[in-house]
Amino acid sequence: MPSTKTLIRLAYTFVLMLTFGATVGIGVLIQSKLQIFKHVAVETATTTEPFPVGVDPQNKTIVENPAVDAFFYNTLAHTSESPSWWQRVAVLFFEKNWYQNLASPVSRVVVIWPGERTEEVKKHFGDILNWSVEERDEFVSLVQTSAPVLQEGKFFPSEYVTHKDARPDEMAILVTSKFNTEIQARYTSDVAAEVPLDDALVIASLLEREARDFTNMREISGVIWNRLFLDMPLQLDATLQYARGSRPLEPKWWPVVRPSDKYINSPFNTYQNEGLPPTPIANPSSEAVLAALNPRHTDCLYYFHDNAQNYYCSPTYEEHIAKLRQLYGRGR
């Protein structure tokens, strides 16, 4: 069964297919009037309220912050990377009959989805805006080197409305501004004193690829922090996918993991290397950063999802294997 996030993506793409009779993929481009998303934007409240924090890496403790749920539902649930936001967009397409006014030859809307790697964003922006190889590289370089100096994880997931001839520098300003508003402005010095922004972005990127929704992000965040506290390897398959997807001849950015991938020679191989990967493996949403900073308190060190995306976690490897055998007849 597809994950909740996958279903949301498919539903959004389905709306566009009904509207235009075609789809252009996850990094989707639609020809539209700028007014379409301006109407939705009135519901989007930008705030500089700092991220709450419920983890203390120095003392290796997790104390759940009661402000997390309110922050998520009152602040992030109205931002454009939130699943509920995308659902409202789909409803508005139908209720307002905007599909009758979408055939503009001058404007474009491009979407960065949570959990996409930088190469995916680069390709989608380049394909949509008809950029050359050099222009695509320029766009990536401008975003990666903008202040603050963070090489990865800064292509903020959202929709971006622009004109059809937008240049790399124009789009870099839009993407960087969105990151600064949604992440950097909320990452005050007090938050950074608890968890450096680089670490939060790395963990958030792992959660985007490993979890099915915000609640599950917090659960897996608890497992990740527990392992970090004990200096255990994280052993996350998403990092193996990233390592393999970075190889020049690999046809997919997120290939299916094979047992042999656990021996890939890469700094991103969390089966072979302790601690966090050197950079984020994907571009995380605000909710993933919030989950990275606010893990669930748990004694679990191991977890997996079944074929229906149900989540199981265990404090010991023996219990982990027992659950796998109970469901599948064997450990895996």
Side-chain angles (χ1 to χ4, degrees), residues 106-162:
V106 297
S107 61
R108 298 290 184 269
V109 178
V110 61
V111 175
I112 299 176
W113 289 96
E116 286 188 327
R117 57 189 292 160
T118 298
E119 294 90 339
E120 291 177 274
V121 177
K122 175 181 174 180
K123 183 182 189 307
H124 295 149
F125 271 62
D127 290 350
I128 288 165
L129 297 171
N130 296 314
W131 287 343
S132 65
V133 173
E134 292 74 20
E135 287 173 321
R136 297 173 193 226
D137 291 340
E138 178 188 359
F139 166 67
V140 170
S141 177
L142 287 170
V143 175
Q144 288 182 336
T145 58
S146 61
V149 181
L150 296 166
Q151 293 300 307
E152 301 289 348
K154 291 178 59 181
F155 295 82
F156 188 78
S158 185
E159 93 292 339
Y160 295 90
V161 182
T162 187

Side-chain angles (χ1 to χ4, degrees), residues 302 304 314 316-332:
Y302 303 89
F304 68 94
S314 304
T316 69
Y317 184 68
E318 290 72 21
E319 291 179 64
H320 174 66
I321 293 299
K323 287 182 180 179
L324 286 169
R325 287 175 176 166
Q326 182 180 357
L327 286 170
Y328 299 103
R330 58 183 176 81
R332 64 174 186 176

Side-chain angles (χ1 to χ4, degrees), residues 78-313:
H78 294 290
T79 59
S80 58
E81 78 277 8
S82 167
S84 62
W85 189 94
W86 291 108
Q87 291 164 354
R88 291 200 303 276
V89 169
V91 171
L92 287 168
F93 264 111
F94 290 113
E95 290 185 350
K96 302 301 181 182
N97 294 323
W98 286 345
Y99 57 84
Q100 296 178 3
N101 301 308
L102 295 179
S104 170
V106 297
S107 61
R108 298 290 184 269
V109 178
V110 61
V111 175
I112 299 176
W113 289 96
E116 286 188 327
R117 57 189 292 160
T118 298
E119 294 90 339
E120 291 177 274
V121 177
K122 175 181 174 180
K123 183 182 189 307
H124 295 149
F125 271 62
D127 290 350
I128 288 165
L129 297 171
N130 296 314
W131 287 343
S132 65
V133 173
E134 292 74 20
E135 287 173 321
R136 297 173 193 226
D137 291 340
E138 178 188 359
F139 166 67
V140 170
S141 177
L142 287 170
V143 175
Q144 288 182 336
T145 58
S146 61
V149 181
L150 296 166
Q151 293 300 307
E152 301 289 348
K154 291 178 59 181
F155 295 82
F156 188 78
S158 185
E159 93 292 339
Y160 295 90
V161 182
T162 187
H163 60 91
K164 68 180 181 65
D165 297 317
R167 303 187 310 270
D169 61 320
E170 294 175 309
M171 297 310 298
I173 290 173
L174 286 179
V175 173
T176 301
S177 176
K178 195 75 171 176
F179 175 86
N180 290 340
T181 299
E182 301 295 341
I183 300 294
Q184 187 64 28
R186 294 174 175 145
Y187 220 92
T188 63
S189 58
D190 289 340
V191 178
E194 295 290 337
V195 182
L197 178 56
D198 297 58
D199 290 352
L201 288 175
V202 171
I203 295 173
S205 75
L206 301 175
L207 299 177
E208 287 287 7
R209 301 305 310 182
E210 290 279 332
R212 66 170 186 265
D213 55 26
F214 178 66
T215 297
N216 194 216
M217 283 182 181
R218 293 190 65 198
E219 292 168 336
I220 295 177
S221 180
V223 174
I224 288 175
W225 280 109
N226 282 349
R227 287 192 161 223
L228 290 173
F229 293 161
L230 295 174
D231 296 323
M232 289 178 61
L234 295 183
Q235 297 184 334
L236 300 180
D237 286 356
T239 62
L240 301 182
Q241 290 181 301
Y242 182 82
R244 261 187 60 197
S246 300
R247 292 178 171 180
L249 299 180
E250 174 58 50
K252 295 181 179 180
W253 282 305
W254 301 103
V256 176
V257 173
R258 305 168 303 197
S260 60
D261 292 337
K262 296 179 181 180
Y263 303 98
I264 290 176
N265 182 19
S266 168
F268 290 91
N269 184 345
T270 55
Y271 281 82
Q272 299 295 322
N273 303 293
E274 294 181 359
L276 294 173
T279 71
I281 64 170
N283 291 287
S285 61
S286 296
E287 67 184 43
V289 174
L290 180 63
L293 295 171
N294 293 275
R296 290 286 190 194
H297 186 273
T298 176
D299 60 354
C300 289
L301 291 171
Y302 303 89
Y303 72 89
F304 68 94
H305 295 91
D306 65 17
N307 295 333
Q309 291 298 302
N310 296 309
Y311 173 76
Y312 302 85
C313 78

